[in-house]
Amino acid sequence: MSENASATELASHYTAQVSSDLDRNTKEQERIGAEIASLEEQLAALRHDHSVLVSIQKAIAAAPAPARAAQPSAAAPVPAPRRKAAASGSRKRAQPRRSASRVTHKAEKPAASKRAAAAEPAADSSASAPTTASASAQPTLVDLVRRHLTEQKEPRSAAEITTALGQAHPERTVKTTVVRTTLEGLVAKAQAHRSKQGTSVFYTVADASEAAGGAKSEGKEKAATA
């Protein structure tokens, strides 16, 4: 009898230990999954910014330098003709002036067209610059979920949070699985609380002191890893 009792007690002890290890392993997977989802979102934003900056750099490099207007050939000294009749002398002096004005007018046309061509890439680069700022200014999913929990007075499920974020940000694709993983990451960092009501799981934001403690512990872990 004593051997059977000890064997039963040992089996129950191992069962409890394995259940505890499984629960700890599941929580760790959820925390790492939330961090991976957040990093993938940041990486996508950085890749978008990189492509925009590369296109701007190519547009600036392809812009031709504005050419200076050609100097009129009339600036060169022209030898004075020999004196003949007064009428013929005045006609000969008038001809170089007309030719000089024609050369100057022809030289101004290519310079104006080159300046107009150089202004077009600059306009394209200035138009694409606000797109870069708007893309980098978008908050991450972790920030949106944390902000939504802070604004709520009652616990919310992952499905309810997904619906609210999808209505508030229709331009973004918000999935329930990603939101649930993000919430579990906040719970692991002590920035949110998880509670069960039957088979449903609800989340609430943590107090300021608990959130500060979670942020400090996270910073210590990152410093130790570095």
Side-chain angles (χ1 to χ4, degrees):
M1 291 295 292
S2 62
E3 292 180 357
N4 292 334
S6 61
T8 303
E9 183 179 358
L10 183 61
S12 62
H13 174 72
Y14 280 135
T15 302
Q17 183 66 30
V18 170
S19 299
S20 177
D21 292 342
L22 282 174
D23 188 34
R24 188 182 302 107
N25 185 280
T26 302
K27 291 181 180 179
E28 188 68 15
Q29 290 184 27
E30 292 174 349
R31 182 184 67 82
I32 294 175
E35 293 181 356
I36 291 174
S38 176
L39 291 174
E40 287 179 350
E41 187 174 358
Q42 295 179 10
L43 180 60
L46 290 174
R47 286 176 176 173
H48 177 73
D49 295 345
H50 181 269
S51 62
V52 173
L53 291 173
V54 169
S55 62
I56 294 175
Q57 186 181 33
K58 290 181 179 179
I60 294 175
R68 295 182 179 179
Q71 296 293 333
S73 58
V78 179
R82 296 181 180 180
R83 290 186 178 180
K84 291 183 179 180
S88 61
S90 59
R91 290 176 183 176
K92 290 182 179 181
R93 284 193 297 269
Q95 289 179 355
R97 293 180 182 177
R98 292 179 182 178
S99 60
S101 62
R102 292 177 182 175
V103 173
T104 306
H105 185 65
K106 291 181 180 179
E108 288 177 354
K109 289 183 179 180
S113 60
K114 290 182 179 180
R115 285 194 295 267
E120 291 180 357
D124 294 339
S125 61
S126 62
S128 59
T131 305
T132 307
S134 61
S136 59
Q138 288 185 356
T140 62
L141 182 61
V142 178
D143 295 334
L144 292 177
V145 172
R146 188 189 298 110
R147 187 185 307 167
H148 181 76
L149 285 178
T150 304
E151 295 173 352
Q152 304 303 313
K153 296 182 180 180
E154 297 180 357
R156 290 289 185 269
S157 65
E160 292 174 343
I161 296 173
T162 303
T163 303
L165 293 179
Q167 294 176 356
H169 304 277
E171 73 281 358
R172 303 182 64 159
T173 303
V174 183
K175 297 183 179 179
T176 306
T177 55
V178 180
V179 171
R180 184 179 294 108
T181 305
T182 304
L183 289 167
E184 292 297 334
L186 293 176
V187 172
K189 297 176 183 178
Q191 298 180 5
H193 293 299
R194 177 179 55 188
S195 60
K196 287 187 177 181
Q197 297 181 8
T199 58
S200 301
V201 180
F202 295 89
Y203 300 89
T204 55
V205 69
D207 297 336
S209 59
E210 296 179 5
K216 289 182 180 179
S217 62
E218 182 183 0
K220 290 181 180 179
E221 292 178 0
K222 290 183 178 180
T225 307

